[in-house]
Amino acid sequence: MSSLENMPVDNVLSEEYKLTTEPIVLDNSTEYEWNEIQSDTLNQPQGSNWRLQLKNISQYCNPAKAYLEVKVRMTDAANTNLGADVNASIQNHILCLFSRATLRVGGQLVESVNECHVAKALVQPLLHYSQDYASSSGTNELFYKDGPGFATTKVPFNGDEHRADFNSGHRRRYDRTNNKEVTAWVPLSSIFGFCTVDRVLVNNTFIVELVKSAQKDHVLSTGGTEKVAINKVSIWMPQIQAKPTVDLAIKSAMADGLVSNYMFPHFQSYSILGVNGNNNFRIVTSSEKVLYGFVIARSPTRSSLNSAAETSDNIQTLELRLNGRAYPSQNYVNLKGTTEDKARAYADLMRYMSRGYDYSSGIPLSYEEWEKTTIYAFDMTSQPDPVGMSSPATVELKASTDAQVEWSVCVLSEKRVQVNYQGSSSVVLTN
């Protein structure tokens, strides 16, 4: 008899035969109200820093359900509101307004997103937003993908929206911001990996700090001098009143000492000005386990006259190194123009985007669009020991180009945080 016929298999009982299964209900809270956390500094439309702090630390809250609200209006160089029909809008996503986003829990720095305008406003929406999300919830974040053109042409010639210079994303953001104030809502989990963990938090301060990005990173306009007034920044956080039985069970566990472990993706970016020829740069040394790297190359002279999503086709060879090991193992050696390596690079990106190796990502990024917004993905999940928690991870970029470019390297790593509850106090530990 064939050994395949004797292969062991698990026989799982179908749900329809589980006659004694009890119904399940989720009824653990008596109140679930939204609380708006205002910035410590109010009414600073041309400010550069915002700090938002949750002061009621004795009540349960859930950062995974929280939203960041940003209210903006386009202005001229003199900070006067723009009138109608001035060809100006923000860049590709509302988070392009911020260069850094920092999260502190219990006084401890839990997460710092460097170059938020690249990692969270440019790379993340293109790679993580499905087509249906981008055309629904993504529009509430002012995310409209640029293309087919990457300048400020907002009226298609003879109604031809496929015209090479027409920028449909700019047109849609222009319609939203033209001569009026506009409000965007972004899930806090889109900014901080810590907030992707669906879990209540209590007895801890929760502080978010935001720093405004440079004008060329958040304005797309014909004049090139326009600004964005940020009239309001706030966080909407659910405040939860647990049922007495649930509340008592949690507090009893805390009295005995309760450890809450978090593990989440940490996504940030680092930019550096390259040279014409051979480029060899150390990007970052991290205590976290690095999982993926993403590389984009843009013009070093880019300004607010062109989309931040437009990339340069000047790369010939490219690799990332993690602690000296090259990725991919068979390097990209010919990326200029339409080449075999470029087709392989696009396939590698699709494999990351689908996650399940079934190539059904649903992401609206065709090869033709990717050639103009080229994001190279490097899968570094396969690592020799002892890379990980036991030793620092050093990421390096090695490349050759036929012109000077500005490199941006986004690093996706695995971050771990531990919240130790002891009665009514807690201690936060992070790697």
Side-chain angles (χ1 to χ4, degrees), residues 170-199:
H170 170 63
R171 173 70 206 208
R172 283 158 179 77
R173 293 190 301 272
Y174 164 82
D175 289 339
R176 292 282 302 274
T177 59
N178 179 35
N179 197 30
K180 56 180 174 289
E181 189 177 62
V182 62
T183 300
W185 269 49
V186 184
L188 215 55
S189 57
S190 291
I191 309 173
F192 300 111
F194 180 86
C195 298
T196 63
V197 182
D198 191 3
R199 186 177 301 168

Side-chain angles (χ1 to χ4, degrees), residues 8-74:
V9 295
D10 291 329
N11 186 10
V12 179
L13 187 63
S14 174
E15 290 293 329
E16 62 183 320
Y17 295 110
K18 297 179 181 179
L19 304 181
T20 60
T21 300
E22 299 294 340
I24 298 175
V25 295
L26 295 176
D27 189 18
N28 300 320
S29 61
T30 57
E31 291 184 15
Y32 200 98
E33 298 293 338
W34 291 93
N35 177 42
E36 186 176 17
I37 305 170
Q38 298 276 3
S39 171
D40 288 352
T41 305
L42 300 177
N43 302 321
Q44 52 169 27
Q46 295 300 335
S48 59
N49 294 271
W50 294 265
R51 185 176 185 272
L52 305 102
Q53 177 178 356
L54 176 63
K55 297 181 173 64
N56 184 7
I57 63 176
S58 62
Q59 196 168 10
Y60 298 108
C61 67
N62 189 349
K65 302 295 195 299
Y67 283 84
L68 177 73
E69 178 184 324
V70 184
K71 187 177 293 185
V72 301
R73 179 156 186 160
M74 303 299 301

Side-chain angles (χ1 to χ4, degrees), residues 98-100 113-120 269-271 408:
F98 306 110
S99 63
R100 180 181 293 272
V113 181
N114 193 53
E115 294 187 357
C116 184
H117 60 282
V118 177
K120 299 295 182 175
S269 173
Y270 306 89
S271 293
S408 291

Side-chain angles (χ1 to χ4, degrees), residues 338-356:
T338 301
T339 65
E340 294 178 1
D341 274 348
K342 208 150 194 179
R344 177 162 66 97
Y346 178 71
D348 288 343
L349 182 69
M350 290 296 104
R351 187 170 64 175
Y352 166 76
M353 291 162 74
S354 65
R355 311 297 205 286

Side-chain angles (χ1 to χ4, degrees), residues 138-378:
T139 62
N140 204 24
E141 305 168 21
L142 291 184
F143 172 63
Y144 299 93
K145 184 179 62 177
D146 282 346
F150 288 87
T152 56
T153 301
K154 60 184 178 62
V155 180
F157 182 71
N158 288 338
D160 181 10
E161 294 197 1
H162 298 289
R163 176 183 164 123
D165 62 351
F166 173 60
N167 190 340
S168 63
H170 170 63
R171 173 70 206 208
R172 283 158 179 77
R173 293 190 301 272
Y174 164 82
D175 289 339
R176 292 282 302 274
T177 59
N178 179 35
N179 197 30
K180 56 180 174 289
E181 189 177 62
V182 62
T183 300
W185 269 49
V186 184
L188 215 55
S189 57
S190 291
I191 309 173
F192 300 111
F194 180 86
C195 298
T196 63
V197 182
D198 191 3
R199 186 177 301 168
V200 295
L201 190 70
V202 69
N203 297 340
N204 275 292
T205 56
F206 186 90
I207 301 173
V208 171
E209 297 167 341
L210 301 169
V211 179
K212 195 174 185 179
S213 62
Q215 187 259 8
K216 69 175 183 178
D217 294 321
H218 62 249
V219 171
L220 178 57
S221 70
T222 301
T225 59
E226 288 77 11
K227 298 181 179 181
V228 177
I230 302 180
N231 295 332
K232 178 184 178 183
V233 178
S234 66
I235 292 175
W236 288 86
M237 178 77 75
Q239 299 289 299
I240 305 167
Q241 180 65 52
K243 281 196 169 183
T245 52
V246 177
D247 185 49
L248 180 61
I250 294 176
K251 289 181 178 177
S252 296
M254 289 181 176
D256 296 332
L258 186 151
V259 176
S260 184
N261 292 314
Y262 292 74
M263 186 168 69
F264 52 86
H266 184 205
F267 201 36
Q268 54 185 334
S269 173
Y270 306 89
S271 293
I272 190 167
L273 186 62
V275 297
N276 182 1
N278 294 326
N279 292 255
N280 191 349
F281 300 107
R282 185 188 68 83
I283 304 302
V284 65
T285 297
S286 173
S287 61
E288 303 164 13
K289 182 178 181 180
V290 175
L291 301 176
Y292 284 91
F294 305 93
V295 177
I296 60 175
R298 296 179 290 177
S299 168
T301 60
R302 66 182 180 87
S303 67
S304 58
L305 299 176
N306 290 90
S307 169
E310 184 177 21
T311 56
S312 301
D313 185 24
N314 298 109
I315 304 175
Q316 295 171 324
T317 68
L318 178 64
E319 66 181 62
L320 284 187
R321 289 179 175 264
L322 176 62
N323 287 357
R325 179 179 177 179
Y327 295 86
S329 56
Q330 185 173 340
N331 298 336
Y332 301 131
V333 296
N334 186 17
L335 293 172
K336 177 76 174 180
T338 301
T339 65
E340 294 178 1
D341 274 348
K342 208 150 194 179
R344 177 162 66 97
Y346 178 71
D348 288 343
L349 182 69
M350 290 296 104
R351 187 170 64 175
Y352 166 76
M353 291 162 74
S354 65
R355 311 297 205 286
Y357 295 88
D358 60 358
Y359 296 93
S360 58
S361 64
I363 306 297
L365 192 63
S366 67
Y367 180 86
E368 292 80 8
E369 293 170 320
W370 175 78
E371 277 195 307
K372 297 179 181 180
T373 304
T374 307
I375 303 172
Y376 294 100
F378 296 84

